[in-house]
C-alpha cells in the first residue's frame, strides 16, 4: 500500500527509486539526493515483500521523525518524487510492482528512473574507470531523450548471453537486484522508464554513489554545481553515513 500524507499534485514529476543491489549504490545515491535537495518526507510504502524496519531520521540527527523500510520524499521545485528502500526484499514483488504502476499512472508521473549497480567483474569491455556507468531505456524514453544521451556520450547496456545451452540473449544486470524486473514490468505498461547503474564491488561504495548521482544529474539537472564530478566534496553526506560501517574498533583490543 502506498500512502501519501500530503496532498501534492505529482503531474509530470520524475520518480526515482533504487534497486537493492550489490554495494547498495542505488540506495546511497538516493540518500545523496534527499540530503542535497532537502527533500521532505510525504509518505510511505507498506509492503510484505520487504523486511519491516523502523529507525531514527537518517537525514536530521535532531528530528524525532522515524524512518521505515520504504519512505517517499518529494521536491516541489525540482518536480521530483523519490522512494527510498532501506531493507531487502524477501517475498514476491508482484503486488509492489502493481501498486507502483497504478501510482505512476493515477498521479500522471512523467517517467521512472531506477538506480542500480552491477558486479564489477561483469564489465567485459576494457574501458577507463570513469566509464563504468550504463543506462537502459524504454522505447518511449529513447524517442524523447536519445539525442541527449548520445550528446552526453552515455553508453547503453547491451544484450548479454545468459544461457550457454541455447545462447539466449537478453538484457541482464548481474547483482542488480530487481532493477530489470521492475523496468520490464513498467515498460510493458507503456510507462517511460530507465535504469542507470554502475559497475562496482562490495566495500565502501560512497564514491560509486557519487558517480551515479552525477551521472543522473547530467540528465535531470537538479543538483547544480553540487554534481560537478570534479568537485565531489561539495555534495552533502547525510548524518546517518557516519554509521555505515559501525563503531571503530576498541583500542584496548590491541
Amino acid at each position: 500500500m502506498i500512502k501519501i500524507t500530503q496532498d501534492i499534485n505529482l503531474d509530470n514529476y520524475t520518480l526515482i527509486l533504487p534497486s537493492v543491489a550489490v554495494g547498495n549504490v542505488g540506495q546511497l545515491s538516493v540518500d545523496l539526493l534527499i540530503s542535497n535537495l532537502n527533500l521532505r518526507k510525504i509518505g510511505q510504502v507498506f509492503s510484505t515483500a520487504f523486511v519491516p524496519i523502523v529507525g531514527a531520521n537518517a537525514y536530521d540527527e535532531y528530528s524525532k521523525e522515524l524512518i521505515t523500510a520504504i519512505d517517499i520524499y518529494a521536491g516541489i521545485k525540482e518536480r521530483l518524487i523519490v522512494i527510498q528502500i532501506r531493507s531487502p526484499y524477501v517475498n514476491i514483488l508482484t503486488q509492489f510492482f502493481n501498486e507502483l504502476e497504478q501510482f505512476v499512472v493515477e498521479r500522471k508521473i512523467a517517467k521512472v528512473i531506477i538506480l542500480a549497480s552491477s558486479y564489477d567483474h561483469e564489465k567485459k569491455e576494457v574501458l577507463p574507470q570513469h566509464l563504468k556507468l550504463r543506462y537502459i531505456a524504454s522505447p518511449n524514453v529513447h524517442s524523447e531523450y536519445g539525442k541527449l544521451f548520445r550528446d552526453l556520450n552515455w553508453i547503453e547496456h547491451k544484450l548479454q548471453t545468459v544461457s550457454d545451452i541455447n545462447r539466449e540473449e537478453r538484457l541482464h544486470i548481474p547483482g542488480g537486484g530487481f532493477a530489470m524486473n521492475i523496468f520490464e514490468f513498467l515498460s510493458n505498461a507503456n510507462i517511460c522508464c530507465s535504469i542507470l547503474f554502475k559497475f562496482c564491488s562490495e566495500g565502501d561504495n560512497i564514491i560509486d554513489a557519487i558517480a551515479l548521482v552525477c551521472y543522473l544529474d547530467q540528465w535531470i539537472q537538479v543538483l547544480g554545481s553540487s554534481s560537478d564530478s570534479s568537485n565531489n566534496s561539495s555534495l552533502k553526506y547525510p548524518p546517518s553515513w557516519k554509521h555505515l560501517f559501525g563503531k571503530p574498533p576498541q583500542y584496548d583490543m590491541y
Side-chain angles (χ1 to χ4, degrees), residues 15-66:
L15 188 152
I16 298 172
L17 77 157
S19 173
V20 183
V22 56
N24 301 312
V25 176
Q27 294 156 294
L28 293 172
S29 300
V30 167
D31 268 353
L32 285 173
L33 285 174
I34 295 169
S35 295
N36 285 272
L37 297 175
N38 295 313
L39 304 183
R40 71 174 190 267
K41 184 177 173 181
I42 64 162
Q44 297 166 289
V45 179
F46 301 95
S47 172
T48 57
F50 295 84
V51 175
I53 63 167
V54 65
N57 191 306
Y59 313 108
D60 183 352
E61 294 177 280
Y62 306 103
S63 171
K64 294 183 179 179
E65 182 182 49
L66 297 176

Side-chain angles (χ1 to χ4, degrees), residues 138-189:
S138 60
N140 39 19
V141 170
H142 260 302
S143 63
E144 185 171 355
Y145 299 102
K147 183 181 184 302
L148 172 63
F149 296 160
R150 290 191 295 272
D151 291 344
L152 291 171
N153 294 317
W154 279 17
I155 302 172
E156 186 172 8
H157 190 48
K158 301 298 183 182
L159 295 170
Q160 293 180 311
T161 301
V162 295
S163 173
D164 291 330
I165 298 174
N166 55 17
R167 305 300 295 173
E168 178 191 359
E169 285 193 337
R170 62 180 173 86
L171 286 173
H172 180 50
I173 304 177
F178 60 72
M180 277 307 308
N181 299 97
I182 194 168
F183 171 81
E184 291 170 351
F185 186 91
L186 296 177
S187 297
N188 289 337

Side-chain angles (χ1 to χ4, degrees), residues 43-113:
Q44 297 166 289
V45 179
F46 301 95
S47 172
T48 57
F50 295 84
V51 175
I53 63 167
V54 65
N57 191 306
Y59 313 108
D60 183 352
E61 294 177 280
Y62 306 103
S63 171
K64 294 183 179 179
E65 182 182 49
L66 297 176
I67 56 114
T68 65
I70 310 177
D71 288 326
I72 305 173
Y73 299 81
I76 307 300
K77 182 178 70 173
E78 300 84 4
R79 302 188 72 79
L80 281 183
I81 181 165
V82 176
I83 296 178
Q84 178 59 300
I85 300 174
R86 299 188 174 92
S87 68
Y89 59 95
V90 292
N91 210 334
I92 297 173
L93 292 166
T94 305
Q95 184 177 353
F96 174 67
F97 289 177
N98 280 323
E99 290 175 353
L100 188 64
E101 177 199 342
Q102 183 180 0
F103 178 74
V104 170
V105 172
E106 289 181 352
R107 295 281 181 160
K108 298 180 180 178
I109 291 169
K111 59 184 178 293
V112 177
I113 303 175

